[in-house]
Amino acid sequence: MISTTNYAALPAAPVLRRLCQALAVLDAINSPDWEYRYYSYNPNWGENEELLEMRDGEGDQMLVLFRPEGCVINGYLHEYDQPAKAQVTRGLPVAFADFMAGEPVASIGTTFCLWYTPADGWQTGPVANEDDGSEELLAIFDNQPATYAEWATEYYLDETDRRPIAPAAVAPVYQHEVLTKKMALALNEELEDWTMLAADLQEIGYAYEFS
């Protein structure tokens, strides 16, 4: 399981960026109402900056910032103690310092932090407590369609009549294939508002063809 003490399986930043976009697309399909989505993606967060946000509605959040220098992950789980930020960010590249010190990270909080640069790969500061909850938020980054399919089926389909989400339906989005209505309906057969989904895809920066 991926965690702050076992992060060898985390994809390199370019691969993770595409995965984060895919997660936002999948959530846009499974939850047309943005308020209830887990993952959202902003390709225009700042100059040369893109951002994935994960929020569970119960206080846990994760932000992944992508810059030309690489990326940084800030995780916060409300049931875990926050270590000293100076400790978990020790060695943090200057390129990510403003993000980790500023908003919204400062208000959200930090229970774990990892970063990636092409020269050094994935790194983290000293981990004071191996049980920091990081595996709960990082598990989705294993790049396996089955992981999302299992999670989304439990999260979005509980108490609904929708059929379970199949890994085979998730895989084309992970591979960044141009999204069609057929692909979207394979994930959520109840989809109806294609105009709204098209707007979401444009905002995420993902290609689609709904003709």
Side-chain angles (χ1 to χ4, degrees), residues 76-193:
Y76 173 77
L77 296 101
H78 71 283
E79 294 182 348
Y80 290 79
D81 294 333
Q82 290 192 68
K85 185 181 284 190
Q87 174 175 316
V88 295
T89 61
R90 189 181 304 167
L92 182 74
V94 174
F96 309 128
D98 287 347
F99 175 74
M100 288 301 301
E103 296 294 347
V105 172
S107 294
I108 293 171
T110 302
T111 51
F112 68 87
C113 175
L114 302 101
W115 56 89
Y116 175 94
T117 61
D120 298 313
W122 284 103
Q123 294 182 297
T124 187
V127 178
N129 182 1
E130 293 187 7
D131 183 21
D132 58 9
S134 56
E135 64 181 31
E136 297 178 29
L137 303 188
L138 297 175
I140 197 69
F141 292 150
D142 67 0
N143 216 15
Q144 299 299 313
T147 300
Y148 178 87
E150 181 180 355
W151 168 80
T153 294
E154 180 179 351
Y155 185 74
Y156 287 120
L157 277 61
D158 187 37
E159 299 183 0
T160 74
D161 294 326
R162 285 172 54 190
R163 61 176 178 263
I165 297 169
V170 173
V173 181
Y174 269 36
Q175 295 161 8
H176 273 236
E177 294 183 15
V178 176
L179 189 73
T180 64
K181 287 186 177 181
K182 182 179 180 180
M183 290 165 58
L185 288 170
L187 291 156
N188 180 359
E189 67 271 23
E190 297 180 355
L191 269 177
E192 296 178 347
D193 194 335

